[in-house]
Amino acid sequence: QSALTQPASVSGSPGQSITVSCTGTSSDVGGYNYVSWYQQDPGKAPKLMIYEVSNRPSGVSNRFSGSKSGNTASLTISGLQAEDEADYYCSSYTSSSTLYVFGTGTKVTVL
Amino acid sequence: EVQLVESGGGLVQPGGSLRLSCVASGFTFSSYSMNWVRQAPGKGLEWVSYITRSSSPIYYADSVRGRFTVSRDNAKNSLYLQMNSLRAEDTAVYYCARLYTSGWFLDYWGQGTLLTVSS
């Protein structure tokens, strides 16, 4: 099972919107609405930001939103803020023998 | 408050063994499936293993299948990862993470424990 594909880096200015993509296959992203997104600050544990494609856990800013089209899921951060600078990982349930897969990770930089 | 606290990491020689532990508190441990996820230095997240509430079924990543064994003791609110035949590429921070009851996402994570495999 290969990792889901994400861009290595995405950047934007404060106040702008950015989108991070996550491309898989019909066995994972495209086949199930089980895509989630995690934010990770340096030296810290990942934090759940989006689950089941587009749902936000309690306490997560509504500036974070998720969507999916075919085999590609997307995380959009609107009104970009300095505190959003972090690594972001997508993940998905997969019907392969390995059950769960993460994306390659994207470093979001606020210019 | 949900808490997951990993321990047991350290320095091990190639070919050696080690057991990681994760103690849970703040929720009914026996009601949740659990996972191990690792992150090599400077690299991305890699899912390692999954164990259901009742310890069956169990799943492993291809990279660790046959070498690692996940288990749990619901009476002790504890999750374990027995790691044998360790390789340099197993060097990573190992996180335990709770799987949400009715979905496929990891809603709580521990702070991680570092395993270094080196001679």
Side-chain angles (χ1 to χ4, degrees):
Chain A
Q1 174 68 43
S2 299
L4 307 176
T5 301
Q6 298 180 232
S9 63
V10 173
S11 62
S13 299
Q16 286 186 328
S17 293
I18 62 167
T19 296
V20 180
S21 62
C22 169
T23 301
T25 69
S26 58
S27 296
D28 39 64
V29 173
Y32 309 91
N33 287 325
Y34 289 136
V35 176
S36 50
W37 290 89
Y38 302 88
Q39 177 192 63
Q40 187 180 34
D41 291 322
K44 302 292 187 181
K47 173 188 174 184
L48 178 68
M49 303 300 285
I50 295 287
Y51 66 94
E52 293 173 351
V53 177
S54 60
N55 295 296
R56 277 189 312 276
S58 174
V60 172
S61 171
N62 59 9
R63 296 185 298 102
F64 291 83
S65 61
S67 62
K68 189 184 82 167
S69 177
N71 294 337
T72 298
S74 299
L75 171 72
T76 298
I77 309 175
S78 58
L80 197 62
Q81 298 180 3
E83 66 200 48
D84 301 331
E85 190 162 285
D87 293 325
Y88 291 82
Y89 295 89
C90 62
S91 68
S92 175
Y93 168 84
T94 171
S95 57
S96 75
S97 61
T98 53
L99 196 70
Y100 203 70
V101 62
F102 284 98
T104 50
T106 298
K107 181 173 181 59
V108 168
T109 301
V110 181
L111 301 173
Chain B
E1 178 192 6
V2 171
Q3 284 197 318
L4 298 169
V5 180
E6 302 93 337
S7 62
L11 175 62
V12 179
Q13 291 189 337
S17 298
L18 201 67
R19 188 177 85 155
L20 304 182
S21 299
C22 170
V23 177
S25 61
F27 65 101
T28 305
F29 180 71
S30 59
S31 296
Y32 290 83
S33 298
M34 298 294 295
N35 293 261
W36 287 100
V37 176
R38 69 183 180 182
Q39 186 171 35
K43 303 297 184 182
L45 300 174
E46 180 188 14
W47 173 82
V48 172
S49 184
Y50 160 90
I51 183 169
T52 61
R53 295 172 294 178
S54 61
S55 299
S56 180
I58 286 173
Y59 291 83
Y60 297 99
D62 292 342
S63 57
V64 306
R65 189 177 294 115
R67 301 187 300 121
F68 288 13
T69 301
V70 64
S71 62
R72 64 190 296 163
D73 185 335
N74 288 338
K76 295 183 177 180
N77 291 338
S78 294
L79 174 72
Y80 306 102
L81 187 66
Q82 176 66 44
M83 304 179 293
N84 299 329
S85 302
L86 285 164
R87 307 166 180 167
E89 53 265 35
D90 295 319
T91 294
V93 173
Y94 284 74
Y95 297 100
C96 67
R98 189 180 84 167
L99 189 77
Y100 185 71
T101 47
S102 56
W104 284 98
F105 55 93
L106 306 176
D107 59 352
Y108 285 94
W109 297 63
Q111 86 289 348
T113 187
L114 175 62
L115 166 69
T116 302
V117 183
S118 175
S119 54

